[in-house]
Amino acid sequence: MRKVLLLLLFPTVLFAQDRYMLEGTIGKSAIYMFFDDYTASRNSDDNRIVDVRYYYKSQLRDILMEGTRTGNKFEFFIDRYDDKPTPEKFILTKNGNTLTGTWENDKGKKLPVSLKKIKVEAMRQLLPFHPIANLPE
C-alpha cells in the first residue's frame, strides 16, 4: 500500500509548480501577467521559465515571453532567435506575493514595474472571455 501511495504522489512532486497570476503596472499602464514556475522542483541547473504571458489591460493581446529565475530574481524577455537585441525585458524581484522591478525596451526606455499575485477567481472576473480565465487553480 505504501508503494502505491508513493507512486501516486511522485508525479505531483516531480511536476510541482508555483502558478503566478499577477496584476499591476508598467509605469502607469495596467497589466496582467501569467506564468508557471517549475524551477523549484527541478533537480538541475535548469532555471528556465517558458510560456510567460502578459497583457495590457487596455488591449488584452498576448505578449509571449520566456525567462529565467535565480533565487528570488526573475528575468523575462522576448527571444528573437537572431543577433538583434530583445525588444523588451522585465527584471523583477519577488518579495512575498509581489514582484517589483523594471521593464526595458530595446531603445533604452525603462519603466518601473509593480505586480501582485491574484487568485484564479479574480482573474476570471477581470478577464472572463480570455483563455487564461479558464485555467485550473
Side-chain angles (χ1 to χ4, degrees):
M1 179 66 176
R2 286 183 188 173
K3 289 180 184 179
V4 172
L5 184 58
L6 285 174
L7 287 174
L8 291 173
L9 291 175
F10 183 70
T12 306
V13 172
L14 182 62
F15 298 109
Q17 74 195 32
D18 286 330
R19 173 157 284 165
Y20 287 82
M21 291 193 168
L22 305 155
E23 71 173 330
T25 57
I26 296 175
K28 295 180 181 180
S29 300
I31 67 164
Y32 304 106
M33 183 180 281
F34 168 79
F35 63 93
D36 288 326
D37 178 7
Y38 294 92
T39 59
S41 65
R42 293 186 188 132
N43 293 325
S44 71
D45 294 336
D46 187 1
N47 65 347
R48 293 174 299 136
I49 299 174
V50 295
D51 196 23
V52 178
R53 298 167 182 263
Y54 84 97
Y55 318 84
Y56 285 90
K57 185 177 181 180
S58 62
Q59 299 171 3
L60 295 182
R61 282 185 292 149
D62 288 356
I63 300 171
L64 299 174
M65 305 183 93
E66 57 188 79
T68 59
R69 178 181 184 172
T70 305
N72 65 344
K73 306 271 188 211
F74 293 85
E75 183 173 347
F76 300 131
F77 50 88
I78 296 173
D79 195 339
R80 296 178 46 115
Y81 301 102
D82 59 23
D83 292 335
K84 295 179 182 175
T86 184
E88 60 184 89
K89 67 180 177 180
F90 288 88
I91 307 292
L92 303 170
T93 302
K94 180 182 177 202
N95 186 3
N97 286 329
T98 63
L99 280 85
T100 57
T102 59
W103 170 93
E104 183 177 355
N105 69 11
D106 59 350
K107 294 171 182 57
K109 181 177 182 179
K110 277 188 175 182
L111 295 171
V113 176
S114 179
L115 301 164
K116 66 178 179 179
K117 273 188 159 184
I118 60 175
K119 296 189 182 273
V120 173
E121 187 56 40
M123 187 66 81
R124 286 187 184 120
Q125 291 174 4
L126 293 167
L127 304 171
F129 301 107
H130 197 282
I132 198 170
N134 296 315
L135 292 170
E137 295 256 2

